[in-house]
């Protein structure tokens, strides 16, 4: 049974940093795409970032325009963990952040909710102004 468990959320002041973690179990996502999404109250779940295998032991990430320049996605296959490092947080970053995994591979970034097969339970991030 595949499980994705997010951690690292909480209350942070605007301008501050935060690192979210996603621990995967039940499956290794080595060459499969993984991603982060978020959902603010009353809004649809939106893509934040994804990371895919680019050959050898290398991965490459892609982040949405809304967090570009402030966020970095990474993964550690040794521990089957994915991370989202965010800086210069804004109140509009307040949302529940979800970790997602997919069976898909390849050179596509997979930015749609429907692209993903596995989801974590989410972790709340609240940014105070």
């Amino acid at each position: 049974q595949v499980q994705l468990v997010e951690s690292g959320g909480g209350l942070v002041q605007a301008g501050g940093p935060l690192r979210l973690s996603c621990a995967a179990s039940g499956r290794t996502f080595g060459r499969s795409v993984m991603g982060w999404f978020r959902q603010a109250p009353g809004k649809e779940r939106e893509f934040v970032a994804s990371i895919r295998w680019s050959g050898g032991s290398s991965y490459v990430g892609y982040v949405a325009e809304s967090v570009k320049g402030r966020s970095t996605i990474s993964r550690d296959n040794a521990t089957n963990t994915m991370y989202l490092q965010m800086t210069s947080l804004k109140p509009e970053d307040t949302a529940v952040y979800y970790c997602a995994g997919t069976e898909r591979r390849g050179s596509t970034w997979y930015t749609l909710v429907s692209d993903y097969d596995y989801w974590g339970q989410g972790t709340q991030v609240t940014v105070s102004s």
Side-chain angles (χ1 to χ4, degrees), residues 12-18 70 86-91 93 127-129:
V12 62
Q13 286 192 333
L18 196 70
R70 304 186 294 119
M86 303 183 72
T87 61
S88 302
L89 283 163
K90 305 175 182 179
D93 293 319
V127 183
S128 63
S129 57

Side-chain angles (χ1 to χ4, degrees), residues 31-91:
R31 296 186 181 185
S32 300
V33 176
M34 296 189 74
W36 287 97
F37 286 74
R38 67 185 182 185
Q39 188 166 19
K43 294 189 176 181
E44 293 187 353
R45 193 169 297 190
E46 67 171 1
F47 171 79
V48 177
S50 63
I51 186 166
R52 61 174 173 83
W53 180 67
S54 60
S57 59
S58 300
Y59 290 84
V60 59
Y62 171 74
V63 297
E65 283 298 317
S66 59
V67 298
K68 197 170 187 178
R70 304 186 294 119
S71 298
T72 303
I73 185 171
S74 61
R75 61 196 286 178
D76 181 351
N77 279 348
T79 60
N80 215 17
T81 303
M82 179 177 65
Y83 302 96
L84 181 67
Q85 178 74 48
M86 303 183 72
T87 61
S88 302
L89 283 163
K90 305 175 182 179

